[in-house]
Amino acid sequence: MKKMYLLHIALFALFVQLLGQPTPPPSHKPLNDTTSAKPVVAITHHSIVIAGKTVNYTATAGTLILNNEKGEPIASFGFVAYTKDGVSDLSKRPVLFGYNGGPGSSSLWLHMGALGPRRVVVNDLAAPTPPPYKVEDNQNSILDVTDIVMIDPIGTGFSHAIGKAQNKDFWGVDQDLRSISNFIKEYITENDRWNSPKYLLGESYGTMRSAGVVNYLQERLGIAVNGVILVSSVLDLRQLTFGPGDDISYVMYLPTYAATAYFHHKLPNQPANLPAFLEEVTNYAKGAYTTVLMLGDKIDAATKNAVAEKLAAYTGLSKDYLLKANLRVTEPQFTQELLRDQHLTVGRLDSRFTGINQNLLAENARFDPQSTAITPAYTATFLNYLYNELKVNKTMYYHISAYNAEGFKWDWQRKGGLWGEGVYPPSTAPDLANAMSKNPNLKVLVFNGYYDLATPFYGTEYTMDHLGLEPAIQKNISMKYFDAGHMMYVHPASLVTFKKDIADFINSTNP
């Protein structure tokens, strides 16, 4: 019991760090305010030129009321929707539902970084900059190929419990995927989108959410989805925990350690080709490295020494450090150690970023330079955009995250569906496998950042290779890789590819 409690605490801390956002100021009114039982929306009209063509669109920002099976209101769900004007046949116009992760994050990152028609301008790899910040038309928005609905889970954005419900009723793996699924059902009902092609796009924990939501929609609500887009994916949290006596995390992270060392020129022999180098490291991770770790305390000194030398060549860490670590280096240890001699820490969300290491004696990194670099710009520009361009009433308080909410605590255990009772750490990989097997037309597009130390790309490969799918169904999964990190869209060249890959995916799966 104590071990499970400690693991729970470690996981919670891990995802707080993954979210990488500052604590927002206190709310103007309680999150469980029960007076907002009616939807409140602001509707504005705009146009944008994408790929040389003008798209006239309507932006709808506000709330939608979610009822339970008895017809009782239980949640006021916040969202921002962008719909193309002049569409006479909605069955031919796709609709995409997008969200970030955390859990406990609002959707502003994908909204202002990649998907929406307006985006914040940030300088890739630059340190934090003071205001004023710049917002521009997003020439790489996917609004030219699909309508977009950005969803804020309960406790974030404008979303909160109402009536007899409480926010905590929605804070958990199963609770969250159920509420998001029911929001989607309510949205497509109110907006006549039942016959539209439908897509899910989640980032980080949002990918774990998507794997559960696509199955819930299909199994419980009778809603088929055309495609799922997983951005910086993690479906099995065991891969990220570095749990005592469990070596899987060390194997999953090794290729990303190698990519990071490559980027910062810390390798003894710099390879000429990154993808070829990472293929070599991945093969070593799944082969010899896994075999050696399985020996545990039975490893002999000569073998341990040889593996330390190999790991030093791949990670840029010293052989002495690796031996002291017993060949097992956690992510916070790696981000602190790699550039310690330069008094720098590397980023977790994007290990291309660096920041000042304020404690050279610390074992673990204390902050994420990537998150620190972009958070002020994203926060300021989105709130300014929301209240001034989208005309949302300024008395409506937007919660950037749920982490300052009273009583916020995530229930990590799966309680139903395919898993039965009390499964922990959780996984929604079986949910995705079930949905794909029962709907052979369901396609999945997976985006991976080479420099993502939050959700390492080999962990995603491992998950996708262990879904237990028939070969014909396995072919429905497409993997894409970017020379960037967790939020690959902050890298200008990757943003262009990000949009193109999504557009091609939607066009190829939309009959």
Side-chain angles (χ1 to χ4, degrees):
M1 191 71 183
K2 182 179 180 181
K3 182 177 180 181
M4 177 173 286
Y5 173 78
L6 292 174
L7 186 57
H8 178 91
I9 297 299
L11 260 175
F12 183 80
L14 180 68
F15 277 94
V16 170
Q17 186 181 22
L18 173 59
L19 183 62
Q21 297 170 23
T23 301
S27 171
H28 293 171
K29 57 184 179 180
L31 278 174
N32 62 347
D33 174 35
T34 60
T35 64
S36 304
K38 295 182 179 180
V40 179
V41 296
I43 299 174
T44 52
H45 302 281
H46 314 263
S47 66
I48 185 175
V49 176
I50 303 175
K53 297 182 179 180
T54 299
V55 178
N56 297 312
Y57 65 94
T58 297
T60 304
T63 60
L64 177 153
I65 301 304
L66 187 66
N67 297 322
N68 62 17
E69 292 81 358
K70 298 178 181 179
E72 300 167 335
I74 58 173
S76 178
F77 242 106
F79 71 99
V80 178
Y82 300 101
T83 54
K84 184 180 179 181
D85 295 339
V87 177
S88 58
D89 187 354
L90 291 176
S91 70
K92 296 181 179 179
R93 177 67 174 173
V95 56
L96 179 146
F97 297 92
Y99 31 75
N100 277 90
S105 172
S106 66
S107 64
L108 79 88
W109 313 98
L110 280 169
H111 192 158
M112 293 301 287
L115 300 180
R118 300 279 279 165
R119 66 180 291 270
V120 58
V121 179
V122 293
N123 295 320
D124 188 39
L125 299 184
T129 56
Y133 304 110
K134 182 181 178 182
V135 177
E136 65 181 12
D137 280 350
N138 182 10
Q139 298 300 314
N140 294 291
S141 171
I142 57 170
L143 188 55
D144 57 334
V145 296
T146 181
D147 291 340
I148 305 164
V149 183
M150 302 304 303
I151 305 173
D152 291 320
I154 298 298
T156 75
F158 301 132
S159 301
H160 58 86
I162 58 176
K164 297 178 181 179
Q166 300 181 57
N167 282 336
K168 66 180 182 180
D169 299 336
F170 301 87
W171 289 338
V173 178
D174 289 330
Q175 300 92 314
D176 172 77
L177 66 88
R178 182 169 58 248
S179 66
I180 295 294
S181 297
N182 281 307
F183 168 88
I184 292 172
K185 178 183 178 181
E186 192 69 24
Y187 181 89
I188 65 176
T189 298
E190 289 197 7
N191 294 278
D192 300 320
R193 304 309 295 264
W194 272 95
N195 211 27
S196 297
K198 301 172 189 66
Y199 296 86
L200 306 177
L201 189 154
E203 176 183 308
S204 192
Y205 182 84
T207 64
M208 187 174 185
R209 174 183 293 136
S210 288
V213 166
V214 68
N215 190 59
Y216 193 97
L217 288 173
Q218 186 172 295
E219 293 286 279
R220 304 288 188 89
L221 303 179
I223 300 172
V225 172
N226 295 59
V228 177
I229 304 161
L230 306 176
V231 179
S232 302
S233 179
V234 55
L235 306 186
D236 182 358
L237 291 193
R238 177 183 166 222
Q239 296 177 357
L240 306 184
T241 60
F242 295 96
D246 186 354
D247 290 322
I248 192 170
S249 300
Y250 302 101
V251 175
M252 301 297 103
Y253 270 84
L254 181 59
T256 307
Y257 291 167
T260 304
Y262 169 92
F263 182 84
H264 293 288
H265 298 278
K266 294 294 287 185
L267 298 174
N269 297 297
Q270 188 77 356
N273 182 280
L274 178 60
F277 172 61
L278 294 182
E279 183 178 4
E280 175 188 334
V281 178
T282 301
N283 287 334
Y284 179 78
K286 69 176 71 171
Y289 185 48
T290 296
T291 300
V292 166
L293 293 185
M294 290 290 287
L295 294 174
D297 296 337
K298 300 296 185 181
I299 186 173
D300 62 85
T303 301
K304 188 173 185 177
N305 188 70
V307 172
E309 289 180 351
K310 193 72 170 179
L311 292 177
Y314 283 156
T315 66
L317 304 178
S318 71
K319 175 183 171 183
D320 181 63
Y321 182 85
L322 289 160
L323 287 172
K324 290 177 180 177
N326 197 28
L327 309 179
R328 296 165 175 84
V329 177
T330 67
E331 172 271 319
Q333 290 171 335
F334 177 82
T335 54
Q336 179 76 349
E337 178 66 19
L338 182 67
L339 301 181
R340 193 190 298 266
D341 60 342
Q342 300 175 41
H343 296 198
L344 297 174
T345 295
V346 301
R348 171 184 172 78
L349 294 175
D350 192 327
S351 62
R352 299 175 304 137
F353 284 73
T354 60
I356 296 173
N357 186 340
Q358 294 179 301
N359 185 353
L360 296 177
L361 294 177
E363 178 184 359
N364 300 311
R366 301 296 179 88
F367 75 106
D368 182 353
Q370 193 264 8
S371 180
T372 300
I374 70 171
T375 293
Y378 269 76
T379 302
T381 55
F382 177 73
L383 294 179
N384 185 62
Y385 168 68
L386 186 70
Y387 293 122
N388 292 296
E389 290 193 38
L390 298 187
K391 306 301 181 182
V392 171
N393 191 314
K394 293 179 181 178
T395 63
M396 296 179 65
Y397 188 86
Y398 189 93
H399 292 262
I400 302 300
S401 79
Y403 284 103
N404 75 318
E406 182 179 354
F408 181 73
K409 182 180 180 181
W410 200 256
D411 179 4
W412 290 102
Q413 295 190 30
R414 300 299 308 272
K415 293 183 174 62
L418 298 170
W419 279 90
E421 295 291 334
V423 175
Y424 185 86
S427 171
T428 55
D431 300 66
L432 180 62
N434 187 64
M436 295 183 71
S437 295
K438 292 183 178 178
N439 178 8
N441 291 311
L442 176 62
K443 302 296 194 300
V444 177
L445 175 63
V446 186
F447 286 167
N448 304 277
Y450 283 138
Y451 306 110
D452 180 2
L453 282 169
T455 57
F457 67 88
Y458 178 47
T460 301
E461 292 175 354
Y462 181 91
T463 296
M464 296 302 156
D465 290 343
H466 288 78
L467 292 178
L469 300 174
E470 290 294 314
I473 305 300
Q474 180 71 34
K475 293 178 181 178
N476 288 349
I477 301 174
S478 301
M479 305 283 286
K480 302 289 184 178
Y481 298 85
F482 295 83
D483 289 317
H486 196 70
M487 303 164 69
M488 61 279 295
Y489 42 85
V490 303
H491 178 234
S494 293
L495 175 60
V496 175
T497 306
F498 186 97
K499 186 275 169 73
K500 182 181 183 302
D501 288 342
I502 294 176
D504 290 346
F505 178 71
I506 290 176
N507 290 331
S508 68
T509 54
N510 179 14

